[in-house]
Every structure is written in structure tokens, then in C-alpha cells.
């Protein structure tokens, strides 16, 4: 228990630094926006780029690993969407927001720092094998469901390619075969930016919690938070442990990836369609607060 708590404390400690800095006027909202922009537009893309150029990936594609994670994500997405329509009588777009909030993990702000704290460099390959396809799959699915037949392939491609984190992934994949020829001064520029991404992401997470707050009551966000923090990682754990075969570290990374709270992209998506904004912001805040306890639980289950 103590080891698990010591893994989680630095992560949530930095989240509280960000929250407290805004709460007690040590930082302005403009500064908070600036930190978030640094994380999404520079820090995380640099981290994606550096890791994809240097990491040693397995020769065979880990289909069982991907199926385990996205099978769990799809399961909670469907359940959350059905609850949205059948119980809360929300429209189809609000149902997509509810599903998005249950199935999309906060990988950039929470997942990477927490998983690296738990497993160290051993987590790099399985972690970035998920990150490389997580955003494209989730965003594409959500957009198609929200727009139906109106969803344009060109629009989908444009949104993905112009996303800063996807740009870092694409550039890393392009440069990867020529990584040995990259001049040293490039890494001396890239490394500090990439290293700053983790702590800045957690501070930005704390700032975002203060900004979004609680707007949609507790009932539905509590259900979605349960699906996100308990059901999603449980489904992934069962699939990764009992249906497919993979190393323990890969199982742990997939489960902790799924155990992360709802990501800020759920709020961004809701704001884009002007549907379910309060639901997304409340779920983001509530799931992040509850994840302090549920992540410790999952670390115990995984034996970290």
C-alpha cells in the first residue's frame, strides 16, 4: 500500500500545485492557459517525437494488447451511451459525449507521468504503442458517431494531422529510420522540452480542474466515473490477463492507461458540438478526484 501511495502522491501533488496556484491567485487564468498550450503544442509533441525515434518496438504487432485496451474502451462507451439515452433521455450527440467521457483516458496530463512513475523505462514501448493510436481511434469514432453520414473523410484527416500531438507522432515515425543521423544539437533542444512535459501536464491538469468545475450535478457523472475508473480497467485486465498473452508490464500499462480519469478531450469535443458541456466538465473533475483512490487500488491489484 505504501509503495502505491508513494507512486501516486507526486502525481497528484503536482495536480494540487496547479489547482492551488489558481485558487490562491499565484497564477492567473492566462498563465494557466499558457501552460496548457505549452503541454499540448510543444511538450507532449516533443515527448512523442523523442520516444518514437529512440524506442525499440517489437517486430510483431501486439494485436492482443490493442484489442484488450480498446475492447474495454468500447464496452464502457456503449454502456455509457445507452444509459445516456435510456435513463437520462439525452439526445444522440449527448450520448456520444457520455460514451467519449467513459472511454477516453487522460493520457497526456495524467497517464504518461503516472505510468512512467510506476514502471520506469520498461513502460515506454507499451505506453507509446497505445498513445500512437489512442487519439486517432477515439476522435475518429466520436466524430463519425456525432456527425453520422455528414462526417467527411477529409475533415477527419485534417483534424488528426493538424493535432499537435499527432504531428509529433507522425514526425517521429518519419524520422525514426534516420534517427542515428539526427544532429546532437537537435536532441539538446528537444530533450528539455520533452522532459518538462510531464510535470507541466500535471500542473495544467490542476488548473483545468479549477476552470471546469461542477456543472451537471452528480448522478450521471458518478456513473460515468465508475465506468471509467473501475469497469474500463477491469475489462482490460480480464482481456489482457486471461484472453491474450503478454508480459506483466504490458498488462500493467494497459490497465493503468484505462484507469486514468476522463481526459480533457471529452470537454473539448462537447464544446465543439455544444452538447453535453456540463456533463463532460463535471465528469472530468469528479473522475480526476476519485482516481486518487482508484489508481492506488489498481496499483495494488497489479502488484506494483
Amino acid at each position: 500500500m505504501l509503495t502505491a501511495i508513494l507512486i501516486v502522491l507526486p502525481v497528484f501533488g503536482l495536480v494540487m500545485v496547479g489547482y492551488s496556484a489558481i485558487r490562491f491567485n499565484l497564477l492567473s487564468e492566462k498563465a494557466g492557459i499558457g501552460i496548457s498550450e505549452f503541454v499540448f503544442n510543444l511538450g507532449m509533441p516533443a515527448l512523442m517525437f523523442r520516444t518514437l525515434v529512440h524506442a525499440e518496438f517489437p517486430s510483431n504487432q501486439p494485436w492482443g494488447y490493442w484489442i484488450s485496451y480498446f475492447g474495454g474502451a468500447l464496452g464502457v462507451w456503449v454502456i455509457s451511451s445507452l444509459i445516456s439515452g435510456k435513463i437520462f433521455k439525452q439526445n444522440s450527440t449527448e450520448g456520444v459525449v457520455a460514451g467519449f467521457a467513459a472511454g477516453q483516458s487522460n493520457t497526456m496530463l495524467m497517464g504518461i507521468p503516472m505510468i512512467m512513475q510506476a514502471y520506469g523505462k520498461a513502460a515506454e514501448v507499451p505506453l507509446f504503442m497505445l498513445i500512437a493510436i489512442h487519439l486517432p481511434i477515439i476522435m475518429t469514432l466520436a466524430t463519425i458517431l456525432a456527425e453520422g453520414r455528414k462526417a467527411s473523410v477529409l475533415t477527419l484527416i485534417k483534424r488528426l494531422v493538424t493535432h499537435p500531438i499527432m504531428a509529433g507522432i507522425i514526425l517521429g515515425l518519419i524520422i525514426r529510420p534516420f534517427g542515428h543521423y539526427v544532429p546532437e544539437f537537435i536532441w539538446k533542444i528537444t530533450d528539455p522540452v520533452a522532459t518538462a512535459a510531464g510535470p507541466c501536464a500535471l500542473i495544467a491538469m490542476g488548473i483545468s480542474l479549477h476552470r471546469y468545475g461542477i456543472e451537471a450535478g452528480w448522478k450521471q457523472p458518478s456513473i460515468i466515473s465508475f465506468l471509467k475508473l473501475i469497469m474500463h480497467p477491469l475489462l482490460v485486465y480480464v482481456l489482457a490477463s486471461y484472453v491474450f498473452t503478454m508480459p506483466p508490464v504490458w498488462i500493467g500499462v494497459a490497465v493503468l492507461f484505462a484507469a486514468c480519469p476522463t481526459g480533457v478531450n471529452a470537454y473539448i469535443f462537447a464544446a465543439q458540438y455544444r452538447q453535453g458541456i456540463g456533463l463532460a466538465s463535471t465528469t472530468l473533475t469528479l473522475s480526476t478526484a476519485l482516481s486518487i483512490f482508484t489508481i492506488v487500488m489498481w496499483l495494488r491489484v497489479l502488484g506494483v
Side-chain angles (χ1 to χ4, degrees):
M1 174 67 82
L2 179 60
T3 303
I5 291 173
L6 290 176
I7 289 171
V8 169
L9 274 181
V11 174
F12 286 97
L14 284 172
V15 172
M16 289 308 301
V17 167
Y19 182 88
S20 300
I22 292 292
R23 179 70 179 80
F24 296 106
N25 297 318
L26 298 176
L27 289 176
S28 66
E29 286 288 346
K30 289 183 179 179
I33 293 171
I35 295 173
S36 296
E37 288 180 349
F38 164 77
V39 170
F40 281 102
N41 296 333
L42 288 177
M44 286 302 174
L47 183 60
M48 300 293 105
F49 172 75
R50 183 182 71 178
T51 302
L52 286 171
V53 171
H54 291 313
E56 294 294 331
F57 293 119
S59 55
N60 297 322
Q61 299 302 317
W63 293 108
Y65 178 66
W66 285 330
I67 292 171
S68 296
Y69 178 81
F70 288 105
L74 179 61
V76 295
W77 187 310
V78 170
I79 294 170
S80 185
S81 295
L82 288 174
I83 290 173
S84 169
K86 300 295 184 182
I87 297 178
F88 294 97
K89 308 302 180 183
Q90 294 167 333
N91 63 39
S92 59
T93 304
E94 289 173 314
V96 175
V97 171
F100 196 118
Q104 194 261 339
S105 295
N106 191 343
T107 55
M108 296 298 108
L109 300 182
M110 186 72 70
I112 293 175
M114 184 265 295
I115 292 171
M116 294 300 293
Q117 178 81 6
Y119 286 106
K121 288 187 69 66
E124 284 188 354
V125 171
L127 178 57
F128 289 97
M129 291 293 280
L130 274 179
I131 287 174
I133 63 172
H134 180 256
L135 180 66
I137 288 177
I138 295 295
M139 287 299 296
T140 300
L141 176 61
T143 303
I144 290 174
L145 290 174
E147 298 191 7
R149 295 179 180 178
K150 298 183 295 181
S152 164
V153 175
L154 290 177
T155 299
L156 290 172
I157 293 173
K158 182 180 178 181
R159 286 179 182 170
L160 291 174
V161 173
T162 57
H163 194 289
I165 293 170
M166 280 305 302
I169 291 171
I170 293 169
L171 185 60
L173 292 173
I174 292 173
I175 299 298
R176 180 177 171 78
F178 315 102
H180 294 296
Y181 302 101
V182 176
E184 185 63 26
F185 79 89
I186 296 294
W187 298 120
K188 288 184 177 180
I189 295 171
T190 304
D191 287 348
V193 178
T195 302
C200 286
L202 294 172
I203 291 172
M205 182 74 237
I207 293 169
S208 70
L209 290 181
H210 185 272
R211 182 186 310 132
Y212 298 138
I214 302 293
E215 298 180 11
W218 296 97
K219 194 168 184 180
Q220 190 177 7
S222 296
I223 295 171
I224 297 175
S225 295
F226 172 79
L227 292 171
K228 183 72 206 70
L229 301 175
I230 303 298
M231 285 302 300
H232 188 183
L234 178 60
L235 290 172
V236 173
Y237 181 77
V238 170
L239 288 170
S241 300
Y242 300 105
V243 178
F244 300 99
T245 302
M246 62 193 74
V249 172
W250 286 62
I251 296 172
V253 169
V255 170
L256 291 179
F257 203 96
C260 288
T262 298
V264 72
N265 278 328
Y267 176 84
I268 294 171
F269 182 85
Q272 178 182 348
Y273 287 95
R274 298 181 180 179
Q275 297 281 345
I277 297 173
L279 174 63
S281 66
T282 303
T283 303
L284 189 156
T285 303
L286 182 61
S287 64
T288 301
L290 293 175
S291 68
I292 298 173
F293 308 101
T294 56
I295 287 176
V296 169
M297 181 198 74
W298 284 112
L299 288 168
R300 287 291 304 276
V301 170
L302 294 167
V304 178

